[in-house]
Amino acid sequence: MALETLDLDALRRWVVTARADLATYAERINRLNVFPVPDGDTGTNLLMTVDGAMGSLAFTQPADLVQAARDLAQATLMAARGNSGVIISQVARGVAEVLTESPDQRVTGRQLADALRRAADYAWRSVSIPVEGTILTVASAAADGAAMQASGSLEDVVTGAVRAAEIALVNTTHQLPTLKEAGVVDAGGAGFVVLLDSLRRVIEADAGPIKGLGEPPSWLAGEGAIRDSDCESIEGPGYEVMFMLAETDESRVSRLRGVLDRLGDSLVVAGGPDVWSVHVHVDDVAAALNAGADAGRPHRFEVTRFQDEITARHPVPVSTETKTLVVAVADSPGLAELARQDERMVVTGDAGRIARASAVRAVRETGLAEVLLVADGRRSGRTADALEKALRDKDIRVMRPGSTGPTEFLATLTVAHPEQAGAEVIAAVDDALVSLSTGILTIASEEFETPSGTCPKGAVVGRIDGEVIEYGHEALPVAARVVQTLVTEHDCEIVTLVVGEKVPDALADTLRAGLRRTHPDIEVTIVQGGGPYVLAVGVE
C-alpha cells in the first residue's frame, strides 16, 4: 500500500529523507557542477538548504499540515544557498500554496501535480535569463510528467514526475555545450531529481519503513567539476552575492532585478511578498549590495569569490607508505608555504564552504582512514573544527593536537610523519607540545582590564599561556619581556620567533641579537609567518 494523501507525518518524513539522500549524494552532485560556474558546490548548497529547512521545521513543530508547509516554504527560502537552492525553495512554496487553497487541506495526486506545476512556474520566473538544459528544464518536465498522471493516485503522480524528470535530466547533457563537453548532466537538475525520488519513496512506504537508496543512478557517475583548466581563470563575474531582502514591495523588487541584471548574471530572485531571496554573480559587489539597500532592507549577506574557492582544490601528496594524512589549516601565508614545501595538504584558515567541501572530497579520495588536523590560530581553528565534523561524518578518524598557534603548528609539522600510524603520530605530537612553551604578541582590538591595569585599544599585548604579562605602545619592550620570561622559566635549547604581519622592522633580529649576548648556547630561529599577530614565541 502507498499513501493516498500527503499528511503532516509524510511531509516531515520527506524532509528527513531528502536531507539524508542529499548527504549521501552531495559530493557526487558537486562533481557534476560545470554550469554556470565550475565551482563544485551545487550538492553542498542543496544539502545546506534542506538541512536548514529541516532544522527550522523541528524548531517550530507546527501542529497542522498547512502551517507546516508554510513554515517549510519560509525556512527553505531563508536557508537557500546558491541559485539551485533558491529554485528548490519554490517547490516548498508551491506545496504550501496549493495546501492553503485546498478546501480539505490535503495533498492528493492532482494537488501534487498542481504544486509541481506551480513550483516550475515560480522557478522559471525567478531566473532573470532562463536557460534550457538546467534545473528549470527538469522542473518543467517533472510538472509535465505529474500532469499526465493527475487523475491517478498520489503514487502515480510522483512516479510520473520522477520518470519524466530523469529523462529530462539525462537530456541536459546535450542541451548545453558545457555539459556536453564535460559529459555530465546538470548538477541542479540532478539534485531536483534526488528530492523528487525521496518523496516517491516516502509515498510508496505509506507509514512503514522507507526503502533505502540502491546503487547510485548512472547520471551521478560523471565528473565534470573543477578541472585543471578551470583553476587558471574564471569566465564571467568573479563573485557570488546572496542576501535576503525585507521591507520592500513588488515594484522595488522589479527595479532591483533590472539593476542586478545589468551588473552581472545568474540572477535569481524568489520569494515574496514579505521576504525575498536574492542571488547574483557580479564583479562589483558594493554596487550589488547598494542596489539591495535601495530596494529595501537587505540582510544575511553572503559573498563568495569564485577564484579563491575554486583554486582551493587541495592537491594531496600521498605515497604508498602514507598511513596518516597531515592537513595543515593555516592563516599565516608563510606557515602555509612551509607546510606545502614539506608536502603537507594545506587548507587556508578562512576557507569557505566550497573550499571545505573540496578539501573533504580530496581527503576521501586518498582512501586514508586517519587524518591529523593542525591549525595555526583561532580562525584556522574554527575552520579545522568544521573540517573535523565533516570528516567524522564520513567515518574518517580525525586527530587534533591539544593546542593551536603558530609555534605549535611548526612543532607539530616537525614531528608528524605521514608514514606512521595515527596513534604514533598523535603520541609524537603530544610529546613535542608538552616540551614546548609559547607566548604571543598581538594588538589589542579594544580596551580591557588586566591584573596590572587597563590595557588601551591599539596597545601591544604580550601573553604566555593565554595570560597577559605585559602591554605597552612599543613592541620591543613587550616582546623582550615575553622572551626573557619564557627563557628564564624554562631550561630551553631552542627559541623560535614567528614573525607576524604586524611586526615592526628588525624586531625579531633585535631579539635574536639580545639572546645571543645573554644566552649564547641557545639556538634562535626566525620564521616569516605573516599571520594576524605581531610575534609568536616558542621555547623548547
Side-chain angles (χ1 to χ4, degrees), residues 89 101 248 302 319 332 347 367 419 498 508 513:
S89 72
E101 296 167 5
T248 187
E302 187 167 341
S319 68
S332 309
V347 180
E419 66 274 11
V498 183

Coordinates of all heavy atoms in Angstrom, one line a residue, residues 89 101 248 302 319 332 347 367 419 498 508 513:
S89 N 13.7 26.0 -3.4 CA 12.7 26.6 -2.4 C 11.3 26.8 -3.0 O 10.3 26.8 -2.2 CB 13.3 27.9 -1.8 OG 13.2 28.9 -2.7
E101 N -4.9 26.7 -0.4 CA -6.1 26.9 -1.3 C -7.0 25.7 -1.3 O -8.2 25.8 -1.7 CB -5.7 27.2 -2.7 CG -4.9 28.5 -2.8 CD -4.2 28.6 -4.2 OE1 -4.4 27.7 -5.0 OE2 -3.4 29.6 -4.4
T248 N 10.1 45.6 1.6 CA 10.1 46.0 0.2 C 8.8 45.7 -0.4 O 7.8 45.3 0.3 CB 11.2 45.3 -0.6 OG1 11.3 45.9 -1.9 CG2 11.0 43.8 -0.6
E302 N 26.0 37.0 2.0 CA 27.0 36.0 1.8 C 27.7 36.3 0.5 O 27.0 36.4 -0.5 CB 26.4 34.6 1.8 CG 27.5 33.6 1.8 CD 26.9 32.2 2.1 OE1 25.8 32.1 2.7 OE2 27.6 31.2 1.8
S319 N 51.8 8.8 -0.7 CA 52.5 7.7 -1.4 C 52.0 6.4 -0.8 O 51.2 6.4 0.0 CB 54.0 7.9 -1.1 OG 54.3 7.6 0.3
S332 N 48.4 31.9 8.4 CA 49.7 32.6 8.1 C 50.2 32.1 6.8 O 50.6 30.9 6.6 CB 50.7 32.2 9.2 OG 50.2 32.5 10.5
V347 N 45.0 23.8 3.8 CA 43.7 24.5 3.7 C 43.9 25.9 4.3 O 44.4 26.0 5.4 CB 42.6 23.7 4.4 CG1 41.3 24.4 4.2 CG2 42.5 22.3 3.9
G367 N 41.7 7.7 0.2 CA 41.4 6.4 0.8 C 42.0 6.2 2.2 O 41.9 5.1 2.7
E419 N 54.2 8.5 7.3 CA 54.3 7.1 7.2 C 54.0 6.3 8.5 O 54.0 5.1 8.5 CB 55.8 6.8 6.7 CG 56.9 7.1 7.7 CD 57.3 8.5 7.6 OE1 56.7 9.3 6.9 OE2 58.4 8.9 8.2
V498 N 58.3 33.5 15.4 CA 57.5 33.5 14.2 C 57.0 35.0 14.0 O 56.2 35.5 14.8 CB 56.3 32.6 14.3 CG1 55.5 32.6 13.0 CG2 56.8 31.2 14.6
A508 N 62.5 41.0 15.3 CA 63.0 39.7 15.6 C 64.5 39.6 15.6 O 65.1 38.9 16.4 CB 62.4 38.7 14.5
A513 N 69.6 39.0 18.6 CA 70.9 39.6 19.0 C 71.0 39.6 20.5 O 72.1 39.3 21.1 CB 71.1 41.0 18.4

